[in-house]
Amino acid sequence: MTNFASDNVTGVSPEIMDAMIKANDDHAAMSYGADKWTDGLSAKVAEIFETDVTVFPVISGTAANVLPISYLTPAYGTVYCHKEAHINTDECGASEFYSGGAKLIPLPGDHGKFTGQSLKDAIFGRGVPRHTQPSLVSLTQTTEAGTLYRPDEIMAIAEVAKENNLKVHMDGARFANAVVGTNCSPADLTWRSGVDVLSFGATKNGAMGAELVVFFGKPNVKELENRRVRGGHFISKMRFLSAQLTAYLDNNLWQRNAMQANDMAKRMAMGLSDIASIEFVHPVEANILFLTMPRAMVSVLKEAGFEFYEMLPGEKRSLVRLVMSFNSSQADVDRFVEIARGQIL
């Protein structure tokens, strides 16, 4: 079986597995993050982002999102996000739960993106006690449609946010793919464009299970430390998270892995683009493809050993999602294309 359903189905980068094995060789000096791997993370991340940072390793993408969101948003606050954002559709109300009831306002927008204008049009109720109070905006990079925000688009959103005293959060579960896809620096895609805090993903890009909350600058985040403990994300053997993240950032592994995934997505898109019975739903800008194809073609591909999401099965046509990962191979991509080309439907 070749699985293109998600970049979560893959294994672990050898470099990251080796780092975990080495972290297992001896006792740490202390537990709960008082170890050399966690101590060194801030400097490493600061170098990559070219600014001071405050970082918190956590074990899941949901934790990486909801901990900073709940810290920056009061229980009576409003969080603005795209209607398809993971925090709105796939995290079981975790942002509302951890914040104590903050309200998510979903925004419309083509190809998984909203604009500064749509954010401006949605902001409502500031200073009126009976309304939730505008507090934060969250954007996803890459988006749930596999598309990318460029720095000017982020700046336009951040400008509206700052005018309305909103903090800016970025869900960067696939941030590495965005850096590679836009060919922009990590700094230009985040704090230089007005982002206050990033959920820096690693699990989808080669880690076993590690994410990083990155605050830009040196804010007072004592309350977030309390929330992390209270929420069950203060890990006793944190060195195994930090060892993964250290290996992920060393020698540019995070961008090399993302480049492989993005390149395979481009190769897949190029191979499928001239098949008349296939229609692309969104631009292919990172490592995810959304397309419609005949239901019969879906069946043939699955019978050939390919796994992928048939998101909207139809009587004659289906909406399909294909996700490339750090270890997707040219051979697997080319075989998928070859079989699809053999179905003149």
Side-chain angles (χ1 to χ4, degrees):
M1 181 182 70
T2 299
N3 198 332
F4 291 140
S6 173
D7 37 13
N8 284 318
V9 304
T10 62
V12 179
S13 283
E15 298 91 337
I16 292 176
M17 187 65 81
D18 287 345
M20 293 185 69
I21 292 170
K22 290 176 182 176
N24 193 49
D25 282 346
D26 202 355
H27 292 168
M30 287 293 289
S31 54
Y32 293 102
D35 58 78
K36 64 181 180 181
W37 296 271
T38 307
D39 284 345
L41 265 180
S42 289
K44 192 174 294 290
V45 177
E47 181 179 357
I48 288 170
F49 285 93
E50 305 172 65
T51 191
D52 289 338
V53 296
T54 304
V55 301
F56 297 90
V58 293
I59 202 166
S60 73
T62 297
N65 283 333
V66 303
L67 287 171
I69 288 174
S70 66
Y71 165 68
L72 294 170
T73 312
Y76 51 84
T78 304
V79 177
Y80 301 93
C81 61
H82 191 272
K83 64 181 180 179
E84 296 169 3
H86 208 264
I87 62 171
N88 187 51
T89 62
D90 290 289
E91 293 182 356
C92 199
S95 294
E96 295 94 327
F97 175 77
Y98 275 90
S99 64
K103 185 178 182 65
L104 266 62
I105 300 293
L107 304 177
D110 294 337
H111 304 303
K113 299 194 290 186
F114 62 89
T115 64
Q117 185 61 52
S118 61
L119 173 61
K120 185 175 183 179
D121 292 343
I123 294 173
F124 172 77
R126 181 172 298 283
V128 181
R130 63 180 178 271
H131 296 309
T132 54
Q133 295 301 293
S135 303
L136 182 137
V137 57
S138 178
L139 56 149
T140 310
Q141 181 78 303
T142 65
T143 73
E144 301 300 331
T147 54
L148 303 174
Y149 285 100
R150 268 65 183 182
D152 61 322
E153 295 171 306
I154 301 169
M155 286 180 190
I157 292 169
E159 182 178 344
V160 173
K162 302 309 179 188
E163 288 172 355
N164 289 275
N165 297 316
L166 308 181
K167 294 294 186 180
V168 180
H169 165 261
M170 177 175 284
D171 176 353
R174 296 185 175 96
F175 183 71
N177 303 95
V179 170
V180 171
T182 59
N183 197 29
C184 293
S185 74
D188 286 343
L189 285 180
T190 53
W191 64 271
R192 283 194 187 126
S193 296
V195 174
D196 296 295
V197 59
L198 168 70
S199 303
F200 190 0
T203 305
K204 295 180 188 296
N205 195 35
M208 177 178 287
E211 312 284 312
L212 195 62
V213 178
V214 181
F215 280 87
F216 299 106
K218 291 292 184 181
N220 181 358
V221 289
K222 180 63 178 175
E223 182 186 330
L224 187 136
E225 294 175 355
N226 297 137
R227 286 178 179 272
R228 181 168 61 151
V229 175
R230 192 165 185 253
H233 287 282
F234 193 41
I235 310 301
S236 60
K237 295 184 179 180
M238 196 177 295
R239 72 182 186 276
F240 292 108
L241 299 185
S242 300
Q244 290 181 68
L245 293 164
T246 299
Y248 184 61
L249 299 175
D250 277 348
N251 301 313
N252 214 30
L253 177 64
W254 65 290
Q255 290 197 45
R256 288 190 283 115
N257 279 1
M259 185 173 295
Q260 174 67 13
N262 287 15
D263 285 350
M264 291 303 98
K266 291 176 186 175
R267 188 178 185 91
M268 179 75 82
M270 186 174 298
L272 299 177
S273 62
D274 61 353
I275 299 176
S277 57
I278 289 179
E279 297 179 2
F280 286 82
V281 177
H282 302 297
V284 180
E285 297 180 343
N287 67 318
I288 308 177
L289 302 87
F290 287 89
L291 46 90
T292 63
M293 62 171 59
R295 190 79 187 277
M297 185 181 289
V298 171
S299 298
V300 169
L301 286 163
K302 290 199 170 186
E303 287 171 5
F306 291 101
E307 186 59 52
F308 48 88
Y309 273 126
E310 193 178 2
M311 303 187 72
L312 288 176
E315 184 176 340
K316 294 184 178 180
R317 294 183 66 81
S318 295
L319 174 63
V320 164
R321 187 185 81 162
L322 304 171
V323 185
M324 306 297 112
S325 58
F326 76 94
N327 58 3
S328 295
S329 70
Q330 289 188 14
D332 286 338
V333 169
D334 291 348
R335 190 168 74 90
F336 186 99
V337 171
E338 182 182 359
I339 292 170
R341 283 181 175 278
Q343 304 303 304
I344 308 301
L345 302 168

